[in-house]
Amino acid sequence: MASPRLLGRSAYRELVWAALPTATLRASLLCAAGPRAYTTHSTQPRLTLSNDRAAALSVTKTGRAHHRAMSSFSTIPAQAISELEKYTACDVSDALLKLKVSGAGFIADLTQYSPRNKQERVVVAPVSTVLFTAKDEDPTTASTRPAPNFPKDTHWVDNAVPGTFAVMQQAVGQTNAICGGIMALRMQVLGLKGIIVAGRVRDLIELQSTELPIWALGTSTVGSGGSSTPWAREVPLTINGVRVAPGDLAVHDPVNGVVVIPQDKVTQVLELLPKLTSADDKAKADVALGVSVKEAFQRHRG
């Protein structure tokens, strides 16, 4: 079958769909892909497959079980998440700064590589984590990392948690990628909300075809197999001085960047945000009328 690199993405999806031999297989694929498999303007499924072999691999009991488990990872109410999505990442960092959270939760130096046509909509979702180590890691540093905890005889990506932003951390200084097209496709099929890589990604066209928000520190043409090993899942990470733990909330803001809210600070952040944004709105209104910034801040920020 032709490659998606040679065909347009839409034409390739239709080609894959037509190649599926039975209605049963098509139905199974849609079951694994979940509700996002359809667009609002077409009866054709929105398949984002790198090849038909990947389509077959996605139809597994594990995939269906993961899809049913969506949103069970975090205890934070959906209403709180919806409320947070009304604010920008900058607003959230202002609140975290007030709460003295390290780095105000901002994950520095990330670039958004997907989707290609970035939507200016804030997305908030719980964090799940994956820690990678270097295959040639210095043994003296091994004692500082958590114990390995991936189930035997499974691929790390098949353990991805639906409904979350997967936050992945790579060993410092490596030039290979730890996330590529097949990994991103699997996470899309499982129902993840997005991917944040403190490291490198590759297969940019395939990443973009998933339409997931995908951020990374850089890119590569080299796969993970030669240099990186998936080591542990759902463990705390420290990225550029910011602690990221499973169950925290990732704030994806395509205009301003990514911020992580510690799970135990969510209530306080929600209490602060209306006050802080209201004060800023009043200060901006005064500045627009010619008031000095110093005076506007004294009036409204205290």
Side-chain angles (χ1 to χ4, degrees):
M1 179 173 287
S3 164
R5 295 181 176 89
L6 302 179
L7 290 173
R9 280 181 287 174
S10 178
Y12 186 74
R13 292 169 194 154
E14 292 181 8
L15 181 61
V16 170
W17 186 249
L20 296 178
T22 67
T24 301
L25 181 54
R26 293 180 182 185
S28 297
L29 180 57
L30 291 176
C31 177
R36 292 187 300 163
Y38 286 99
T39 66
T40 56
H41 304 294
S42 173
T43 57
Q44 289 291 331
R46 183 174 62 80
L47 297 177
T48 52
L49 305 173
S50 57
N51 52 45
D52 52 355
R53 180 171 175 270
L57 287 173
S58 72
V59 186
T60 64
K61 291 182 180 179
T62 301
R64 289 192 291 270
H66 273 295
H67 191 74
R68 288 194 296 270
M70 185 181 295
S71 301
S72 63
F73 186 73
S74 175
T75 59
I76 297 171
Q79 184 177 356
I81 291 175
S82 296
E83 189 65 25
L84 286 167
E85 289 177 338
K86 298 176 183 178
Y87 297 92
T88 70
C90 296
D91 296 332
V92 173
S93 277
D94 286 346
L96 292 174
L97 192 62
K98 285 277 188 183
L99 297 172
K100 303 186 185 308
V101 171
S102 178
F106 175 60
I107 308 298
D109 302 325
L110 292 172
T111 297
Q112 187 177 355
Y113 291 101
S114 172
R116 177 175 295 178
N117 299 316
K118 298 177 178 64
Q119 298 177 345
E120 294 185 8
R121 185 175 78 85
V122 172
V123 177
V124 178
V127 164
S128 58
T129 64
V130 182
L131 174 65
F132 282 74
T133 61
K135 288 189 174 180
D136 59 354
E137 182 182 25
D138 183 344
T140 61
T141 66
S143 61
T144 64
R145 68 189 182 203
N149 63 8
F150 279 103
K152 291 183 179 180
D153 302 320
T154 66
H155 193 285
W156 71 264
V157 78
D158 293 327
N159 295 279
V161 182
T164 68
F165 264 92
V167 179
M168 304 159 58
Q169 186 171 36
Q170 182 174 7
V172 175
Q174 291 194 312
T175 57
N176 61 285
I178 58 170
C179 183
I182 295 174
M183 304 301 108
L185 172 64
R186 181 60 171 151
M187 286 188 265
Q188 180 216 37
V189 168
L190 290 175
L192 273 74
K193 296 290 188 180
I195 303 168
I196 300 164
V197 180
R200 298 178 184 272
V201 295
R202 71 173 195 164
D203 303 325
L204 297 189
I205 291 176
E206 293 178 45
L207 298 187
Q208 291 164 357
S209 75
T210 68
E211 298 185 11
L212 289 174
I214 300 176
W215 297 77
L217 295 177
T219 63
S220 178
T221 61
V222 184
S224 64
S227 302
S228 298
T229 299
W231 185 257
R233 59 176 183 156
E234 313 320 333
V235 294
L237 308 174
T238 300
I239 302 172
N240 292 340
V242 174
R243 187 178 187 275
V244 180
D248 290 347
L249 290 185
V251 179
H252 153 76
D253 180 338
V255 176
N256 296 299
V258 174
V259 171
V260 174
I261 308 173
Q263 191 169 186
D264 63 354
K265 302 294 185 186
V266 171
T267 299
Q268 291 169 279
V269 167
L270 283 168
E271 290 172 352
L272 281 171
L273 281 170
K275 302 172 187 176
L276 294 175
T277 55
S278 175
D280 277 359
D281 288 343
K282 292 173 182 176
K284 284 184 283 188
D286 280 359
V287 170
L289 294 173
V291 176
S292 71
V293 170
K294 180 178 180 180
E295 184 177 348
F297 280 5
Q298 286 175 338
R299 288 180 184 178
H300 305 296
R301 286 190 172 184

